[in-house]
Each structure stands twice: as C-alpha cells, then as structure tokens.
Amino acid sequence: MTNVIFQLKNKIIERHPMHRRFMESSLSRMSEVEKSRLSEYIIYCDAKGATLEKLAEAYLTVVFDTFNEQLFFQKHGRYRYSSFADVADKVYLNDTYMSNYMFGLALTTFLWPNHLAMFRFFEKCLPRDKKGSYLEIGPGHGYYLMTAMKLTLFENFLGIDISQTSIEQTREIIEYLSDDANKKCYELREEDFLSCSLKEEFYDAVVMGEVLEHVEQPERFLREIVRVSKANSFIYLTSCINAPAIDHIYLFGDLQQLEKMFEDSGLSVVRSLVCPHEGRTLREAIDKKLPVNVAYVLEKK
Ligand SMILES: C[S@@+](CC[C@H](N)C(=O)[O-])C[C@H]1O[C@@H](n2cnc3c(N)ncnc32)[C@H](O)[C@@H]1O
C-alpha cells in the first residue's frame, strides 16, 4: 500500500477506531491501479490544502452524517429534508461544509464498495471512440469529469453545478490531474441545470452522477437530459434507493419507481448495475429499506 494511503487510513482509524475493519476490507478490494489513483488523489488534495488530517475529517463527516440520516430514515421512513431550500444553507451554500463533503465523497468512490463498483461500471461503459460534446451535470468533486477527459475522445466538455465550491473543485482537479495531452477544451458553469437553456439535441454524452435524489423534481431533469442529447448519445446516470444522506431530498423506494420515471421521460435502459447494501440481496435490501445504489446507461427512446 502506498505511503499516503497508509497514513490516511491511520488518521481515519485514530478518529474512528470502529472503522478499522471496514477500511482494511475496502483497501483489500482495490486493484493496484485504483490504489495508485487514490494516492494521486490524496496528493492532489494535500496540494490544495486538504491535508491528511483534513481529509480524514472530511471523509468521516460523510460517514457520520450518512449514519445519522440512516437512523432518521429507519425511524421515520422518509428522508429528513424534502426541498432544496431545506438543504441549501447547510450544504450547497456552506463553503466549508461543501468542500469537506466533496473531498469526502470523492474518497468514498474508492473506499465504499458500491461507489467503487459504480465507478468501475462508468469506466467500463464510457465510450472510447465517440467524439463531440460531453456534458456533466453536478460534477461535484470533478473526479468523473476528469476521468472522462482522460479516457475518451470527446473534444468539448461542459460541467454544470449549482455549487460554487463544486465548480472550484472540478476546475482544480482538471488542472492538477490532467496532463496537457488529455486536457481538453472545457467550460464549467455555476448554474442550476434546469435554468441553463442548453442547445437542443447537442450533446453526444450526458453524465449525471448522484444528482437525481438531490432535486425536488427529478423528472424535469430527465426530460431536460432527453431534450439536450442526441438520438445516439451516451447517457450515464447514477442514483439510489432508500439511501439517506444529508442532502437527499427525493426518495426512490424501489427500482420500478425510478425506471418508470426513465420511461415516462423518454429514456430506456441499455445497461444497469444494481448494488444492494453490502452483504444483502436486492430483495432483502428493498424489504428492509436498506440502501441500494444504481447506475444506468440509458438511451433516448
Ligand atoms: C452528491 S454530488 C455528486 C458528485 C459526483 N457527480 C458524484 O457522482 O460523486 C451532487 C452534485 O450535484 C450538484 N447539484 C445539485 N443540484 C443541482 C442542480 N439543480 N443543478 C446542477 N447541479 C446540482 C451539487 O452541487 C453537487 O455538486
């Protein structure tokens, strides 16, 4: 294990000794390539002022906040908040919280089994031969957008995020981790996706990771994705079922509800990845209202 990963693991365990087994099992699951990417990410964070100490704190903020929301959800059967206004000040407009949250969330991409599985699925499905324009809605920490720049032939990239902090982190990760060879033409806009009036049938790829459950009217997002994408666009989307988090405001209770929304919005499923809560079958997870993460490749009907 590279040194910085070992040090981060120790910092996390120092603060939260009960997380030791989870950390050890997560790290044992990662390939050498993934470990070297994680090291690279930790070094980038350090260069941006998120030292190992801060990164451990950022990661554990996500862990503890998610745990608290899970307790609330198990007790009340709903997410704590249901409108953007409920969470805007706490999360999106709170620079310190948002910055920690995005660094922490990027780490879960490596450390949480379902998030790692979804990232692997993204890498596997991302077309390597398509050209044209790539749109990402809600890039957050920017790791997916930066990866798409490295791995694909798309020429123009647009990232739209409602949070200024997310836009900054996306810009920083692109500038830091893409070398000149794969730094493409890109634009980042701090805007609500629903109010940015993008060109119709323009994008060859549309990616939206973990945004649908963060918005009041997910169907409007899906319809807008249909409007701006081309007939054969690569459309990649992740979301979750019964998976509380501090800023999840739209509850999907099962896969059928989500997939019906795709259908009703003009999208059909090409491929999907369903990741029930670790150690559970899908049936058990749904019956017990445990989290299920999902990733889809979609196409316009
Ligand atoms: C949970 S993060 C997801 C980050 C990353 N895509 C991933 O999959 O890990 C959600 C991101 O969506 C952004 N977001 C939420 N509502 C949005 C909206 N209406 N328009 C654009 N971005 C939005 C948030 O600011 C945040 O950066």
Side-chain angles (χ1 to χ4, degrees), residues 84 92 98 101-102 105 109 136-141 144 160-163 166 191-194 208-211 213-215 221 238 247-248:
F84 180 77
Y92 302 114
M98 193 68 185
Y101 177 24
M102 287 303 116
L105 186 67
T109 304
E136 188 161 327
I137 305 147
H141 42 74
Y144 278 78
I160 294 178
D161 201 296
I162 205 163
S163 146
S166 294
E191 250 182 297
D192 181 341
F193 174 58
L194 291 182
M208 185 168 81
E210 296 192 40
V211 176
E213 62 283 2
H214 293 250
V215 300
F221 272 66
T238 68
D247 52 352
H248 288 184

PDB file of all heavy atoms in Angstrom, residues 84 92 98 101-102 105 109 136-141 144 160-163 166 191-194 208-211 213-215 221 238 247-248, ligand 1:
ATOM      1  N   PHE A  84     -35.119  21.830  -1.730  1.00  0.00           N
ATOM      2  CA  PHE A  84     -33.800  22.415  -1.935  1.00  0.00           C
ATOM      3  C   PHE A  84     -33.525  23.470  -0.866  1.00  0.00           C
ATOM      4  O   PHE A  84     -32.427  23.555  -0.320  1.00  0.00           O
ATOM      5  CB  PHE A  84     -33.711  23.027  -3.342  1.00  0.00           C
ATOM      6  CG  PHE A  84     -32.381  23.647  -3.626  1.00  0.00           C
ATOM      7  CD1 PHE A  84     -31.283  22.844  -3.925  1.00  0.00           C
ATOM      8  CD2 PHE A  84     -32.208  25.019  -3.575  1.00  0.00           C
ATOM      9  CE1 PHE A  84     -30.026  23.411  -4.161  1.00  0.00           C
ATOM     10  CE2 PHE A  84     -30.962  25.593  -3.813  1.00  0.00           C
ATOM     11  CZ  PHE A  84     -29.874  24.788  -4.112  1.00  0.00           C
ATOM     12  N   TYR A  92     -25.153  23.281   0.106  1.00  0.00           N
ATOM     13  CA  TYR A  92     -24.652  23.860  -1.148  1.00  0.00           C
ATOM     14  C   TYR A  92     -24.039  25.254  -0.986  1.00  0.00           C
ATOM     15  O   TYR A  92     -23.105  25.609  -1.680  1.00  0.00           O
ATOM     16  CB  TYR A  92     -25.768  23.914  -2.201  1.00  0.00           C
ATOM     17  CG  TYR A  92     -26.346  22.555  -2.495  1.00  0.00           C
ATOM     18  CD1 TYR A  92     -27.656  22.255  -2.160  1.00  0.00           C
ATOM     19  CD2 TYR A  92     -25.570  21.566  -3.091  1.00  0.00           C
ATOM     20  CE1 TYR A  92     -28.194  21.003  -2.417  1.00  0.00           C
ATOM     21  CE2 TYR A  92     -26.090  20.312  -3.340  1.00  0.00           C
ATOM     22  CZ  TYR A  92     -27.405  20.033  -2.997  1.00  0.00           C
ATOM     23  OH  TYR A  92     -27.927  18.789  -3.242  1.00  0.00           O
ATOM     24  N   MET A  98     -19.405  22.141   2.191  1.00  0.00           N
ATOM     25  CA  MET A  98     -19.441  21.592   0.823  1.00  0.00           C
ATOM     26  C   MET A  98     -18.052  21.099   0.395  1.00  0.00           C
ATOM     27  O   MET A  98     -17.922  20.070  -0.256  1.00  0.00           O
ATOM     28  CB  MET A  98     -19.963  22.674  -0.125  1.00  0.00           C
ATOM     29  CG  MET A  98     -20.329  22.159  -1.481  1.00  0.00           C
ATOM     30  SD  MET A  98     -21.777  21.069  -1.416  1.00  0.00           S
ATOM     31  CE  MET A  98     -21.858  20.518  -3.105  1.00  0.00           C
ATOM     32  N   TYR A 101     -17.382  17.940   2.159  1.00  0.00           N
ATOM     33  CA  TYR A 101     -18.298  16.930   1.647  1.00  0.00           C
ATOM     34  C   TYR A 101     -17.790  16.394   0.306  1.00  0.00           C
ATOM     35  O   TYR A 101     -17.758  15.182   0.061  1.00  0.00           O
ATOM     36  CB  TYR A 101     -19.682  17.583   1.521  1.00  0.00           C
ATOM     37  CG  TYR A 101     -20.800  16.760   0.943  1.00  0.00           C
ATOM     38  CD1 TYR A 101     -20.794  15.370   0.982  1.00  0.00           C
ATOM     39  CD2 TYR A 101     -21.900  17.384   0.368  1.00  0.00           C
ATOM     40  CE1 TYR A 101     -21.854  14.635   0.458  1.00  0.00           C
ATOM     41  CE2 TYR A 101     -22.959  16.660  -0.154  1.00  0.00           C
ATOM     42  CZ  TYR A 101     -22.921  15.280  -0.116  1.00  0.00           C
ATOM     43  OH  TYR A 101     -23.956  14.569  -0.640  1.00  0.00           O
ATOM     44  N   MET A 102     -17.358  17.287  -0.563  1.00  0.00           N
ATOM     45  CA  MET A 102     -16.924  16.833  -1.891  1.00  0.00           C
ATOM     46  C   MET A 102     -15.613  16.044  -1.811  1.00  0.00           C
ATOM     47  O   MET A 102     -15.455  15.031  -2.478  1.00  0.00           O
ATOM     48  CB  MET A 102     -16.803  18.017  -2.860  1.00  0.00           C
ATOM     49  CG  MET A 102     -18.141  18.560  -3.305  1.00  0.00           C
ATOM     50  SD  MET A 102     -19.186  17.293  -4.104  1.00  0.00           S
ATOM     51  CE  MET A 102     -20.548  17.186  -2.971  1.00  0.00           C
ATOM     52  N   LEU A 105     -16.657  12.753  -0.345  1.00  0.00           N
ATOM     53  CA  LEU A 105     -17.428  11.950  -1.307  1.00  0.00           C
ATOM     54  C   LEU A 105     -16.504  11.317  -2.353  1.00  0.00           C
ATOM     55  O   LEU A 105     -16.674  10.162  -2.737  1.00  0.00           O
ATOM     56  CB  LEU A 105     -18.486  12.832  -1.983  1.00  0.00           C
ATOM     57  CG  LEU A 105     -19.458  12.115  -2.903  1.00  0.00           C
ATOM     58  CD1 LEU A 105     -20.363  11.170  -2.122  1.00  0.00           C
ATOM     59  CD2 LEU A 105     -20.318  13.122  -3.670  1.00  0.00           C
ATOM     60  N   THR A 109     -15.662   7.110  -3.389  1.00  0.00           N
ATOM     61  CA  THR A 109     -15.593   6.473  -4.715  1.00  0.00           C
ATOM     62  C   THR A 109     -14.576   5.326  -4.699  1.00  0.00           C
ATOM     63  O   THR A 109     -14.717   4.347  -5.416  1.00  0.00           O
ATOM     64  CB  THR A 109     -15.186   7.520  -5.777  1.00  0.00           C
ATOM     65  OG1 THR A 109     -16.119   8.587  -5.710  1.00  0.00           O
ATOM     66  CG2 THR A 109     -15.167   6.960  -7.176  1.00  0.00           C
ATOM     67  N   GLU A 136     -21.608  17.150 -18.257  1.00  0.00           N
ATOM     68  CA  GLU A 136     -21.795  16.510 -16.945  1.00  0.00           C
ATOM     69  C   GLU A 136     -22.575  17.442 -16.033  1.00  0.00           C
ATOM     70  O   GLU A 136     -22.222  18.610 -15.861  1.00  0.00           O
ATOM     71  CB  GLU A 136     -20.454  16.107 -16.323  1.00  0.00           C
ATOM     72  CG  GLU A 136     -20.689  15.279 -15.058  1.00  0.00           C
ATOM     73  CD  GLU A 136     -19.495  14.454 -14.613  1.00  0.00           C
ATOM     74  OE1 GLU A 136     -18.719  13.992 -15.479  1.00  0.00           O
ATOM     75  OE2 GLU A 136     -19.355  14.281 -13.394  1.00  0.00           O
ATOM     76  N   ILE A 137     -23.624  16.899 -15.442  1.00  0.00           N
ATOM     77  CA  ILE A 137     -24.475  17.672 -14.546  1.00  0.00           C
ATOM     78  C   ILE A 137     -24.096  17.303 -13.110  1.00  0.00           C
ATOM     79  O   ILE A 137     -24.109  16.123 -12.749  1.00  0.00           O
ATOM     80  CB  ILE A 137     -25.973  17.336 -14.802  1.00  0.00           C
ATOM     81  CG1 ILE A 137     -26.304  17.554 -16.268  1.00  0.00           C
ATOM     82  CG2 ILE A 137     -26.871  18.170 -13.886  1.00  0.00           C
ATOM     83  CD1 ILE A 137     -27.350  16.587 -16.799  1.00  0.00           C
ATOM     84  N   GLY A 138     -23.715  18.317 -12.329  1.00  0.00           N
ATOM     85  CA  GLY A 138     -23.353  18.053 -10.926  1.00  0.00           C
ATOM     86  C   GLY A 138     -22.051  17.299 -10.769  1.00  0.00           C
ATOM     87  O   GLY A 138     -22.004  16.296 -10.059  1.00  0.00           O
ATOM     88  N   PRO A 139     -20.946  17.772 -11.394  1.00  0.00           N
ATOM     89  CA  PRO A 139     -19.681  17.030 -11.275  1.00  0.00           C
ATOM     90  C   PRO A 139     -19.132  16.984  -9.843  1.00  0.00           C
ATOM     91  O   PRO A 139     -18.322  16.107  -9.518  1.00  0.00           O
ATOM     92  CB  PRO A 139     -18.726  17.777 -12.215  1.00  0.00           C
ATOM     93  CG  PRO A 139     -19.315  19.134 -12.378  1.00  0.00           C
ATOM     94  CD  PRO A 139     -20.797  18.964 -12.259  1.00  0.00           C
ATOM     95  N   GLY A 140     -19.528  17.907  -8.987  1.00  0.00           N
ATOM     96  CA  GLY A 140     -19.130  17.859  -7.573  1.00  0.00           C
ATOM     97  C   GLY A 140     -17.628  17.987  -7.378  1.00  0.00           C
ATOM     98  O   GLY A 140     -17.035  19.034  -7.645  1.00  0.00           O
ATOM     99  N   HIS A 141     -16.986  16.899  -6.969  1.00  0.00           N
ATOM    100  CA  HIS A 141     -15.525  16.869  -6.770  1.00  0.00           C
ATOM    101  C   HIS A 141     -14.785  16.814  -8.098  1.00  0.00           C
ATOM    102  O   HIS A 141     -13.573  17.016  -8.144  1.00  0.00           O
ATOM    103  CB  HIS A 141     -15.140  15.659  -5.925  1.00  0.00           C
ATOM    104  CG  HIS A 141     -15.897  14.429  -6.316  1.00  0.00           C
ATOM    105  ND1 HIS A 141     -15.637  13.731  -7.474  1.00  0.00           N
ATOM    106  CD2 HIS A 141     -16.962  13.810  -5.740  1.00  0.00           C
ATOM    107  CE1 HIS A 141     -16.480  12.713  -7.576  1.00  0.00           C
ATOM    108  NE2 HIS A 141     -17.311  12.742  -6.538  1.00  0.00           N
ATOM    109  N   TYR A 144     -15.177  12.258 -11.846  1.00  0.00           N
ATOM    110  CA  TYR A 144     -15.731  11.595 -13.043  1.00  0.00           C
ATOM    111  C   TYR A 144     -15.430  12.416 -14.303  1.00  0.00           C
ATOM    112  O   TYR A 144     -15.045  11.863 -15.329  1.00  0.00           O
ATOM    113  CB  TYR A 144     -17.252  11.412 -12.899  1.00  0.00           C
ATOM    114  CG  TYR A 144     -17.669  10.205 -12.079  1.00  0.00           C
ATOM    115  CD1 TYR A 144     -17.615  10.212 -10.690  1.00  0.00           C
ATOM    116  CD2 TYR A 144     -18.139   9.057 -12.701  1.00  0.00           C
ATOM    117  CE1 TYR A 144     -18.006   9.100  -9.939  1.00  0.00           C
ATOM    118  CE2 TYR A 144     -18.537   7.938 -11.972  1.00  0.00           C
ATOM    119  CZ  TYR A 144     -18.458   7.970 -10.589  1.00  0.00           C
ATOM    120  OH  TYR A 144     -18.838   6.868  -9.870  1.00  0.00           O
ATOM    121  N   ILE A 160     -21.817  21.476 -15.320  1.00  0.00           N
ATOM    122  CA  ILE A 160     -22.759  22.446 -14.746  1.00  0.00           C
ATOM    123  C   ILE A 160     -23.041  22.027 -13.318  1.00  0.00           C
ATOM    124  O   ILE A 160     -23.450  20.875 -13.068  1.00  0.00           O
ATOM    125  CB  ILE A 160     -24.069  22.471 -15.550  1.00  0.00           C
ATOM    126  CG1 ILE A 160     -23.772  23.017 -16.932  1.00  0.00           C
ATOM    127  CG2 ILE A 160     -25.132  23.315 -14.843  1.00  0.00           C
ATOM    128  CD1 ILE A 160     -24.952  23.067 -17.846  1.00  0.00           C
ATOM    129  N   ASP A 161     -22.799  22.927 -12.388  1.00  0.00           N
ATOM    130  CA  ASP A 161     -23.073  22.587 -10.986  1.00  0.00           C
ATOM    131  C   ASP A 161     -23.607  23.826 -10.274  1.00  0.00           C
ATOM    132  O   ASP A 161     -23.134  24.943 -10.501  1.00  0.00           O
ATOM    133  CB  ASP A 161     -21.793  22.087 -10.300  1.00  0.00           C
ATOM    134  CG  ASP A 161     -22.110  21.266  -9.064  1.00  0.00           C
ATOM    135  OD1 ASP A 161     -22.682  21.829  -8.102  1.00  0.00           O
ATOM    136  OD2 ASP A 161     -21.795  20.066  -9.049  1.00  0.00           O
ATOM    137  N   ILE A 162     -24.570  23.593  -9.413  1.00  0.00           N
ATOM    138  CA  ILE A 162     -25.220  24.697  -8.709  1.00  0.00           C
ATOM    139  C   ILE A 162     -24.336  25.269  -7.602  1.00  0.00           C
ATOM    140  O   ILE A 162     -24.573  26.374  -7.115  1.00  0.00           O
ATOM    141  CB  ILE A 162     -26.576  24.192  -8.147  1.00  0.00           C
ATOM    142  CG1 ILE A 162     -27.544  25.325  -7.949  1.00  0.00           C
ATOM    143  CG2 ILE A 162     -26.403  23.383  -6.882  1.00  0.00           C
ATOM    144  CD1 ILE A 162     -28.991  24.860  -7.802  1.00  0.00           C
ATOM    145  N   SER A 163     -23.304  24.500  -7.234  1.00  0.00           N
ATOM    146  CA  SER A 163     -22.449  24.932  -6.120  1.00  0.00           C
ATOM    147  C   SER A 163     -21.128  25.502  -6.619  1.00  0.00           C
ATOM    148  O   SER A 163     -20.420  24.869  -7.405  1.00  0.00           O
ATOM    149  CB  SER A 163     -22.196  23.734  -5.194  1.00  0.00           C
ATOM    150  OG  SER A 163     -20.918  23.808  -4.643  1.00  0.00           O
ATOM    151  N   SER A 166     -18.238  23.230  -5.713  1.00  0.00           N
ATOM    152  CA  SER A 166     -18.074  22.088  -6.628  1.00  0.00           C
ATOM    153  C   SER A 166     -17.404  22.522  -7.928  1.00  0.00           C
ATOM    154  O   SER A 166     -16.538  21.818  -8.454  1.00  0.00           O
ATOM    155  CB  SER A 166     -19.439  21.460  -6.951  1.00  0.00           C
ATOM    156  OG  SER A 166     -19.992  20.878  -5.806  1.00  0.00           O
ATOM    157  N   GLU A 191     -24.449  26.962 -12.157  1.00  0.00           N
ATOM    158  CA  GLU A 191     -25.846  27.218 -12.510  1.00  0.00           C
ATOM    159  C   GLU A 191     -26.715  26.033 -12.130  1.00  0.00           C
ATOM    160  O   GLU A 191     -26.220  24.904 -12.002  1.00  0.00           O
ATOM    161  CB  GLU A 191     -25.947  27.374 -14.037  1.00  0.00           C
ATOM    162  CG  GLU A 191     -26.244  28.778 -14.493  1.00  0.00           C
ATOM    163  CD  GLU A 191     -26.391  28.856 -16.003  1.00  0.00           C
ATOM    164  OE1 GLU A 191     -25.417  28.578 -16.701  1.00  0.00           O
ATOM    165  OE2 GLU A 191     -27.496  29.203 -16.462  1.00  0.00           O
ATOM    166  N   ASP A 192     -27.990  26.284 -11.999  1.00  0.00           N
ATOM    167  CA  ASP A 192     -28.949  25.196 -11.850  1.00  0.00           C
ATOM    168  C   ASP A 192     -29.154  24.594 -13.245  1.00  0.00           C
ATOM    169  O   ASP A 192     -29.431  25.330 -14.201  1.00  0.00           O
ATOM    170  CB  ASP A 192     -30.267  25.792 -11.311  1.00  0.00           C
ATOM    171  CG  ASP A 192     -31.341  24.735 -11.096  1.00  0.00           C
ATOM    172  OD1 ASP A 192     -31.240  23.637 -11.665  1.00  0.00           O
ATOM    173  OD2 ASP A 192     -32.289  25.047 -10.355  1.00  0.00           O
ATOM    174  N   PHE A 193     -29.030  23.286 -13.361  1.00  0.00           N
ATOM    175  CA  PHE A 193     -29.164  22.649 -14.674  1.00  0.00           C
ATOM    176  C   PHE A 193     -30.486  23.011 -15.346  1.00  0.00           C
ATOM    177  O   PHE A 193     -30.560  23.158 -16.568  1.00  0.00           O
ATOM    178  CB  PHE A 193     -29.034  21.126 -14.513  1.00  0.00           C
ATOM    179  CG  PHE A 193     -29.285  20.347 -15.773  1.00  0.00           C
ATOM    180  CD1 PHE A 193     -28.534  20.568 -16.915  1.00  0.00           C
ATOM    181  CD2 PHE A 193     -30.276  19.374 -15.818  1.00  0.00           C
ATOM    182  CE1 PHE A 193     -28.762  19.846 -18.079  1.00  0.00           C
ATOM    183  CE2 PHE A 193     -30.517  18.652 -16.981  1.00  0.00           C
ATOM    184  CZ  PHE A 193     -29.756  18.890 -18.111  1.00  0.00           C
ATOM    185  N   LEU A 194     -31.527  23.175 -14.518  1.00  0.00           N
ATOM    186  CA  LEU A 194     -32.838  23.433 -15.117  1.00  0.00           C
ATOM    187  C   LEU A 194     -32.973  24.849 -15.662  1.00  0.00           C
ATOM    188  O   LEU A 194     -33.912  25.141 -16.376  1.00  0.00           O
ATOM    189  CB  LEU A 194     -33.954  23.167 -14.093  1.00  0.00           C
ATOM    190  CG  LEU A 194     -34.149  21.701 -13.720  1.00  0.00           C
ATOM    191  CD1 LEU A 194     -35.304  21.563 -12.751  1.00  0.00           C
ATOM    192  CD2 LEU A 194     -34.387  20.837 -14.963  1.00  0.00           C
ATOM    193  N   MET A 208     -24.659  12.128 -15.318  1.00  0.00           N
ATOM    194  CA  MET A 208     -25.212  12.779 -14.126  1.00  0.00           C
ATOM    195  C   MET A 208     -25.133  11.787 -12.957  1.00  0.00           C
ATOM    196  O   MET A 208     -25.974  10.906 -12.808  1.00  0.00           O
ATOM    197  CB  MET A 208     -26.660  13.232 -14.372  1.00  0.00           C
ATOM    198  CG  MET A 208     -27.203  14.021 -13.201  1.00  0.00           C
ATOM    199  SD  MET A 208     -28.750  14.875 -13.570  1.00  0.00           S
ATOM    200  CE  MET A 208     -29.930  13.571 -13.370  1.00  0.00           C
ATOM    201  N   GLY A 209     -24.073  11.930 -12.164  1.00  0.00           N
ATOM    202  CA  GLY A 209     -23.847  11.000 -11.056  1.00  0.00           C
ATOM    203  C   GLY A 209     -24.383  11.566  -9.765  1.00  0.00           C
ATOM    204  O   GLY A 209     -23.991  12.663  -9.350  1.00  0.00           O
ATOM    205  N   GLU A 210     -25.261  10.820  -9.119  1.00  0.00           N
ATOM    206  CA  GLU A 210     -25.771  11.165  -7.797  1.00  0.00           C
ATOM    207  C   GLU A 210     -26.313  12.591  -7.704  1.00  0.00           C
ATOM    208  O   GLU A 210     -25.883  13.377  -6.871  1.00  0.00           O
ATOM    209  CB  GLU A 210     -24.682  10.952  -6.744  1.00  0.00           C
ATOM    210  CG  GLU A 210     -24.291   9.486  -6.641  1.00  0.00           C
ATOM    211  CD  GLU A 210     -23.433   9.191  -5.435  1.00  0.00           C
ATOM    212  OE1 GLU A 210     -23.706   9.744  -4.366  1.00  0.00           O
ATOM    213  OE2 GLU A 210     -22.492   8.412  -5.589  1.00  0.00           O
ATOM    214  N   VAL A 211     -27.230  12.891  -8.582  1.00  0.00           N
ATOM    215  CA  VAL A 211     -27.885  14.200  -8.549  1.00  0.00           C
ATOM    216  C   VAL A 211     -29.408  14.030  -8.424  1.00  0.00           C
ATOM    217  O   VAL A 211     -30.070  14.791  -7.719  1.00  0.00           O
ATOM    218  CB  VAL A 211     -27.544  15.032  -9.813  1.00  0.00           C
ATOM    219  CG1 VAL A 211     -28.306  16.349  -9.831  1.00  0.00           C
ATOM    220  CG2 VAL A 211     -26.049  15.307  -9.883  1.00  0.00           C
ATOM    221  N   GLU A 213     -31.453  12.272  -6.797  1.00  0.00           N
ATOM    222  CA  GLU A 213     -32.066  12.212  -5.461  1.00  0.00           C
ATOM    223  C   GLU A 213     -31.841  13.516  -4.687  1.00  0.00           C
ATOM    224  O   GLU A 213     -32.315  13.669  -3.572  1.00  0.00           O
ATOM    225  CB  GLU A 213     -31.517  10.999  -4.679  1.00  0.00           C
ATOM    226  CG  GLU A 213     -30.026  10.985  -4.396  1.00  0.00           C
ATOM    227  CD  GLU A 213     -29.147  10.596  -5.594  1.00  0.00           C
ATOM    228  OE1 GLU A 213     -29.692  10.370  -6.692  1.00  0.00           O
ATOM    229  OE2 GLU A 213     -27.918  10.553  -5.423  1.00  0.00           O
ATOM    230  N   HIS A 214     -31.119  14.446  -5.305  1.00  0.00           N
ATOM    231  CA  HIS A 214     -30.822  15.733  -4.656  1.00  0.00           C
ATOM    232  C   HIS A 214     -31.762  16.835  -5.118  1.00  0.00           C
ATOM    233  O   HIS A 214     -31.577  17.984  -4.756  1.00  0.00           O
ATOM    234  CB  HIS A 214     -29.390  16.190  -4.993  1.00  0.00           C
ATOM    235  CG  HIS A 214     -28.337  15.322  -4.408  1.00  0.00           C
ATOM    236  ND1 HIS A 214     -27.507  15.730  -3.385  1.00  0.00           N
ATOM    237  CD2 HIS A 214     -27.987  14.049  -4.684  1.00  0.00           C
ATOM    238  CE1 HIS A 214     -26.690  14.743  -3.070  1.00  0.00           C
ATOM    239  NE2 HIS A 214     -26.953  13.717  -3.844  1.00  0.00           N
ATOM    240  N   VAL A 215     -32.702  16.491  -5.985  1.00  0.00           N
ATOM    241  CA  VAL A 215     -33.522  17.554  -6.563  1.00  0.00           C
ATOM    242  C   VAL A 215     -35.009  17.302  -6.301  1.00  0.00           C
ATOM    243  O   VAL A 215     -35.435  16.161  -6.101  1.00  0.00           O
ATOM    244  CB  VAL A 215     -33.243  17.726  -8.085  1.00  0.00           C
ATOM    245  CG1 VAL A 215     -31.776  18.080  -8.308  1.00  0.00           C
ATOM    246  CG2 VAL A 215     -33.617  16.488  -8.882  1.00  0.00           C
ATOM    247  N   PHE A 221     -35.425  16.912 -14.655  1.00  0.00           N
ATOM    248  CA  PHE A 221     -34.015  16.729 -15.032  1.00  0.00           C
ATOM    249  C   PHE A 221     -33.902  15.717 -16.166  1.00  0.00           C
ATOM    250  O   PHE A 221     -33.158  15.908 -17.124  1.00  0.00           O
ATOM    251  CB  PHE A 221     -33.200  16.242 -13.814  1.00  0.00           C
ATOM    252  CG  PHE A 221     -32.676  17.365 -12.982  1.00  0.00           C
ATOM    253  CD1 PHE A 221     -33.539  18.187 -12.285  1.00  0.00           C
ATOM    254  CD2 PHE A 221     -31.316  17.619 -12.906  1.00  0.00           C
ATOM    255  CE1 PHE A 221     -33.069  19.247 -11.529  1.00  0.00           C
ATOM    256  CE2 PHE A 221     -30.830  18.674 -12.164  1.00  0.00           C
ATOM    257  CZ  PHE A 221     -31.698  19.487 -11.471  1.00  0.00           C
ATOM    258  N   THR A 238     -26.355   7.832 -12.244  1.00  0.00           N
ATOM    259  CA  THR A 238     -26.425   7.015 -11.025  1.00  0.00           C
ATOM    260  C   THR A 238     -27.414   7.643 -10.061  1.00  0.00           C
ATOM    261  O   THR A 238     -27.664   8.854 -10.091  1.00  0.00           O
ATOM    262  CB  THR A 238     -25.062   6.862 -10.312  1.00  0.00           C
ATOM    263  OG1 THR A 238     -24.677   8.128  -9.774  1.00  0.00           O
ATOM    264  CG2 THR A 238     -23.983   6.356 -11.223  1.00  0.00           C
ATOM    265  N   ASP A 247     -28.267  15.587   2.136  1.00  0.00           N
ATOM    266  CA  ASP A 247     -28.879  16.408   1.094  1.00  0.00           C
ATOM    267  C   ASP A 247     -29.713  15.599   0.107  1.00  0.00           C
ATOM    268  O   ASP A 247     -29.991  16.069  -0.996  1.00  0.00           O
ATOM    269  CB  ASP A 247     -27.791  17.207   0.357  1.00  0.00           C
ATOM    270  CG  ASP A 247     -26.674  16.309  -0.134  1.00  0.00           C
ATOM    271  OD1 ASP A 247     -26.673  15.116   0.226  1.00  0.00           O
ATOM    272  OD2 ASP A 247     -25.801  16.794  -0.866  1.00  0.00           O
ATOM    273  N   HIS A 248     -30.114  14.395   0.482  1.00  0.00           N
ATOM    274  CA  HIS A 248     -31.035  13.639  -0.379  1.00  0.00           C
ATOM    275  C   HIS A 248     -32.452  14.074  -0.040  1.00  0.00           C
ATOM    276  O   HIS A 248     -32.893  13.938   1.100  1.00  0.00           O
ATOM    277  CB  HIS A 248     -30.885  12.128  -0.155  1.00  0.00           C
ATOM    278  CG  HIS A 248     -29.605  11.584  -0.707  1.00  0.00           C
ATOM    279  ND1 HIS A 248     -29.267  10.254  -0.699  1.00  0.00           N
ATOM    280  CD2 HIS A 248     -28.565  12.221  -1.323  1.00  0.00           C
ATOM    281  CE1 HIS A 248     -28.088  10.082  -1.278  1.00  0.00           C
ATOM    282  NE2 HIS A 248     -27.636  11.271  -1.654  1.00  0.00           N
TER     283      HIS A 248
HETATM  284  C1  LIG B   1     -23.607  14.227  -4.464  1.00  0.00           C
HETATM  285  S1  LIG B   1     -22.800  15.322  -5.539  1.00  0.00           S
HETATM  286  C2  LIG B   1     -22.344  14.221  -6.851  1.00  0.00           C
HETATM  287  C3  LIG B   1     -20.914  14.416  -7.307  1.00  0.00           C
HETATM  288  C4  LIG B   1     -20.462  13.459  -8.418  1.00  0.00           C
HETATM  289  N1  LIG B   1     -21.260  13.627  -9.607  1.00  0.00           N
HETATM  290  C5  LIG B   1     -20.503  12.011  -7.972  1.00  0.00           C
HETATM  291  O1  LIG B   1     -21.224  11.212  -8.599  1.00  0.00           O
HETATM  292  O2  LIG B   1     -19.812  11.646  -6.995  1.00  0.00           O
HETATM  293  C6  LIG B   1     -24.141  16.215  -6.249  1.00  0.00           C
HETATM  294  C7  LIG B   1     -23.694  17.430  -7.026  1.00  0.00           C
HETATM  295  O3  LIG B   1     -24.833  17.924  -7.762  1.00  0.00           O
HETATM  296  C8  LIG B   1     -24.882  19.335  -7.652  1.00  0.00           C
HETATM  297  N2  LIG B   1     -26.268  19.773  -7.882  1.00  0.00           N
HETATM  298  C9  LIG B   1     -27.330  19.629  -7.065  1.00  0.00           C
HETATM  299  N3  LIG B   1     -28.431  20.188  -7.611  1.00  0.00           N
HETATM  300  C10 LIG B   1     -28.052  20.696  -8.824  1.00  0.00           C
HETATM  301  C11 LIG B   1     -28.723  21.407  -9.859  1.00  0.00           C
HETATM  302  N4  LIG B   1     -30.014  21.718  -9.740  1.00  0.00           N
HETATM  303  N5  LIG B   1     -28.032  21.764 -10.948  1.00  0.00           N
HETATM  304  C12 LIG B   1     -26.715  21.473 -11.066  1.00  0.00           C
HETATM  305  N6  LIG B   1     -26.017  20.817 -10.098  1.00  0.00           N
HETATM  306  C13 LIG B   1     -26.672  20.426  -8.995  1.00  0.00           C
HETATM  307  C14 LIG B   1     -24.360  19.584  -6.237  1.00  0.00           C
HETATM  308  O4  LIG B   1     -23.918  20.897  -6.054  1.00  0.00           O
HETATM  309  C15 LIG B   1     -23.230  18.571  -6.129  1.00  0.00           C
HETATM  310  O5  LIG B   1     -22.024  19.100  -6.598  1.00  0.00           O
END
